[in-house]
Amino acid sequence: MMKKLALISLFIVAFSCSKDNDDNNSNSSDTPVFNLEAVGDLSEQTAVEAKKTIYGKWNLDSSSSARAACKFVSIEFMDKSFLMTLNVSGQPELVSGSFNVVEGSSGKVENIKLNLIYNKSETTIANITNMVVTKTGDILNCSFDVKLSLPSGDAYPGCNDALSGKVKAGKEKPVEGTSGASKDSNIAKIIGVWNWTSLSSSEGETLDDFKNEICLDEESSDAEGSTGDVFYDNCEPAKAVQLTISAFGTYVLALVHSSGAEMTEGAGSWKFTNSDQTKADIMNGPETLKMELISITDSKISFKVVHPEGEVETISADKI
């Protein structure tokens, strides 16, 4: 059942214009609330400025690795999370975790570190430097240097060597209606990072059950003869469940440990399906879930998710 709960996470995506963008907002409900066209050299920006500049989904040019078994597809920067898509031997692979924008002694950005949970601990899997974002006409592009250090093994064969180096990318267009959205619209309210406060399921699962996912030993639980979930000894459950919903039609669901480390529990895409922006499809691979808003304000949300087989979850959350 916990696997099904993870699918709810599909209702995110990506990224939000968080409190970092508050100074771009006015009190007028007719004023657009998103700045999706920030540009500049990150080495001349503060971390707060740089997060606005990199925010969004970037489709990466992998021409330099055209003959390699591992290729870049895209990377999306959200408020705190990133979602990177690779093509590994012809198959899509999602890599998701948290990122840090690191300032030097001058108060300007030195690098961006991409982090994920591997073997129950947080590790840095990429270091990005020299990132510059430019605009030509209505097209946004960026270039940067990246040093990849993905975990060794069969999952990412040859990726670190093939993809490290200079990278170019173009910025994808945001979800329709986002660029001109006013702060009173549902699309403006829903984009951001949401801290789950309650979860109830027609099959009995609760928010505490979901937080325990971080301690689940999947290999032992899936072993032949297992009669139920098996948990790591002396494991501390997640202190929070956070859903990031992006302006670029993406979502990420993360379990947050007391240390601040985040373990991605699910990622996918979403889109509104009615003009009132109260219903949405949540896509994760071949499966589509149906989401319906119960209520939403600038700071609180309640919504229902219906699975194809009929299971229903009701979730409430506070905006961070």
Side-chain angles (χ1 to χ4, degrees):
M1 295 304 172
M2 300 310 297
K3 295 296 184 182
K4 294 179 181 177
L5 288 177
L7 291 174
I8 302 175
S9 64
L10 300 176
F11 174 56
I12 142 191
V13 185
F15 199 75
S16 88
C17 286
S18 67
K19 295 178 181 178
D20 288 347
N21 287 343
D22 286 349
D23 56 358
N24 290 326
N25 301 341
S26 77
N27 293 325
S28 170
S29 62
D30 295 327
T31 301
V33 294
F34 300 113
N35 175 16
L36 303 178
E37 298 186 350
V39 299
D41 185 334
L42 267 60
S43 67
E44 300 173 356
Q45 298 182 341
T46 65
V48 171
E49 293 169 334
K51 286 185 69 176
K52 298 176 185 178
T53 302
I54 66 176
Y55 172 71
K57 183 176 182 179
W58 300 90
N59 296 315
L60 303 172
D61 178 7
S62 61
S63 58
S64 60
S65 59
R67 292 181 296 277
C70 187
K71 302 176 184 178
F72 275 130
V73 177
S74 66
I75 185 169
E76 182 168 359
F77 292 100
M78 297 163 250
D79 274 340
K80 301 186 298 178
S81 306
F82 75 90
L83 179 62
M84 181 166 59
T85 303
L86 304 176
N87 182 313
V88 182
S89 299
Q91 298 297 318
E93 291 284 345
L94 298 180
V95 182
S96 182
S98 61
F99 71 91
N100 301 111
V101 180
V102 181
E103 292 180 343
S105 57
S106 65
K108 304 301 182 182
V109 172
E110 284 193 345
N111 56 61
I112 302 169
K113 295 185 181 297
L114 308 185
N115 312 301
L116 57 74
I117 299 294
Y118 182 70
N119 284 343
K120 297 180 287 183
S121 62
E122 189 172 49
T123 183
T124 297
I125 55 93
N127 188 51
I128 294 173
T129 56
N130 303 320
M131 188 168 184
V132 179
V133 177
T134 60
K135 184 178 182 182
T136 304
D138 62 350
I139 304 298
L140 287 160
N141 294 290
C142 75
S143 62
F144 56 87
D145 295 321
V146 61
K147 176 64 176 177
L148 281 182
S149 50
L150 289 162
S152 59
D154 296 334
Y156 312 106
C159 288
N160 291 335
D161 291 336
L163 301 182
S164 293
K166 176 70 72 176
V167 175
K168 296 181 180 180
K171 194 170 190 178
E172 188 165 304
K173 297 294 184 182
V175 171
E176 184 178 357
T178 303
S179 297
S182 70
K183 68 177 184 178
D184 292 331
S185 64
N186 281 352
I187 196 169
K189 293 174 182 176
I190 207 169
I191 291 171
V193 182
W194 296 93
N195 188 66
W196 288 15
T197 56
S198 69
L199 180 153
S200 62
S201 164
S202 60
E203 298 198 2
E205 276 79 18
T206 67
L207 184 57
D208 284 341
D209 292 329
F210 198 41
K211 289 178 179 179
N212 283 330
E213 279 272 289
I214 203 169
C215 295
L216 181 63
D217 186 341
E218 294 187 0
E219 291 186 5
S220 296
S221 296
D222 294 339
E224 185 177 353
S226 175
T227 58
D229 291 338
V230 179
F231 295 91
Y232 295 114
D233 293 335
N234 302 316
C235 179
E236 180 183 352
K239 72 171 184 178
V241 179
Q242 292 180 356
L243 175 65
T244 302
I245 300 174
S246 160
F248 293 80
T250 315
Y251 79 87
V252 172
L253 186 70
L255 297 173
V256 184
H257 192 264
S258 59
S259 66
E262 298 183 8
M263 182 178 78
T264 299
E265 190 65 22
S269 59
W270 67 276
K271 65 177 181 180
F272 280 123
T273 57
N274 67 340
S275 59
D276 292 337
Q277 298 179 342
T278 57
K279 297 181 180 181
D281 283 346
I282 312 303
M283 287 77 70
N284 181 24
E287 190 163 23
T288 298
L289 291 75
K290 300 294 183 181
M291 185 281 296
E292 183 171 357
L293 284 174
I294 298 171
S295 63
I296 186 169
T297 67
D298 291 339
S299 59
K300 294 182 179 294
I301 189 173
S302 180
F303 60 94
K304 177 174 66 176
V305 175
V306 181
H307 293 264
E309 70 277 12
E311 183 182 358
V312 179
E313 284 107 357
T314 302
I315 298 159
S316 295
D318 293 338
K319 202 169 197 177
I320 297 176

